[in-house]
Amino acid sequence: MNTVTIVIETLTTGTGFNIFYQNMGQLFYLFTKKPGKYLEVRNKQIPDNVTVVEVDTTNEKTVYTKIKDLGLKPSAIFSLSDGFVEIACRVACNFGCVANDPELIALCRNKQALRDRLQKMGVKTPEHYLLPAKLTDTYKNYPYIVKPNSGTGSMGVLIAHDFAELKQCHAYLKPQHSEILIEEFLLGPLISNEVFVSEGKVLDLGLTSRVLSDFPYFVEEGYSFPMDIGPNKDEVFQTSKQILEKLGYQHGPVHIEYILTAKGPVLVEINPRLAGGPIGNMLLYCLQENIYQSICQEYLTGKRATKFNLQAGHGMAVVSVFATEEGILAGLELNLAKKYPGVVKIEVLKVISDKLTLAHDYSGEVLRVYAIGKTSEEAYYRALAAKNAVKIQLK
């Protein structure tokens, strides 16, 4: 363990510690403001190669000072959590580590500014506006999507069918968010293009299907990889590739979301990080290359292989399970679900006595059913069937 890698927050949605488990020969420091938000920390299942450091990760200067105080000489600094990617880039630059331009990361996290830039580049994105502090009834093309301008994980994403609902959405989001975006509602399924950038070279990993919850929320309840959308597949990747090249993106995984409309794919957002939720596990199973080792290699050396390859006959799907009513988790009955064909894992995200909420955002997720098949479609049907056998007990 000759190198020191600092991860400034990772994913809290079940796959965050993969980066550590898949690189056991490497020494990591996990910088986090709230260690208890990670299930592995709460369950005292921290890998031997990880030291958890409690620090205010929302403050760049505080993080920099903590690294100095600990006497660390980091070889790589990055984040897998959307809200901390920019700070990680800035700190990495201060220590001379491999990093993307922090201003580019800030642009990607600002939905309105990014879309303005993309539209000038000729890229199709939804029509959008920042809502003023005081609303007037001037919006006519309902329904609209209403969301925080810098949000992530489907947090605070709502739909407004009329002005009354728009005011309700605005009132709900305003206390927590300084900028609220309203955007055109596009008809079509949501997908994402997972890509990896190595020294400016954009590599295609594949497409992920994403199944959303009932309105008014937009919680992702199902995923499958790799998705085949026919001729549009190459168009999606070429769009992703051209955009990232023009923006000057240099290093690491990127998660780009599209709506497949009747007129073709429309780009929704660019997330400068590995996809959240279970997608990291899906990439781990379906790719010949190890995505987590590739991430560390990229930030440690700035170099890696020139191509990612899919495993033939490897499809994976994940279906999320939420509580149907609020309460305290008393138990889970999973034995029957585990017996379904293709089911390889049931990932429990809560512990007994946790408070369960409804499916308003990803924080209400109780568990995930993973299934495999020769195609992602077969895997998805298997996961969906097994989900019905799960029983959540409340008290």
Side-chain angles (χ1 to χ4, degrees), residues 120-157:
K120 290 179 181 178
M121 293 165 53
V123 179
K124 291 182 288 186
T125 69
E127 289 299 321
H128 59 280
Y129 318 91
L130 284 178
L131 284 178
K134 187 175 182 179
L135 293 181
T136 56
D137 191 6
T138 57
Y139 303 97
K140 303 300 179 185
N141 297 318
Y142 290 96
Y144 287 105
I145 302 295
V146 188
K147 62 174 70 170
N149 191 38
S150 60
T152 185
S154 301
M155 300 288 282
V157 182

Side-chain angles (χ1 to χ4, degrees), residues 201-225:
K201 183 178 178 63
V202 183
L203 308 172
D204 188 23
L205 305 183
L207 300 179
T208 307
S209 71
R210 314 170 79 83
V211 179
L212 300 178
S213 64
D214 295 339
F215 296 158
Y217 304 101
F218 292 81
V219 183
E220 293 171 0
E221 295 186 338
Y223 315 77
S224 63
F225 181 92

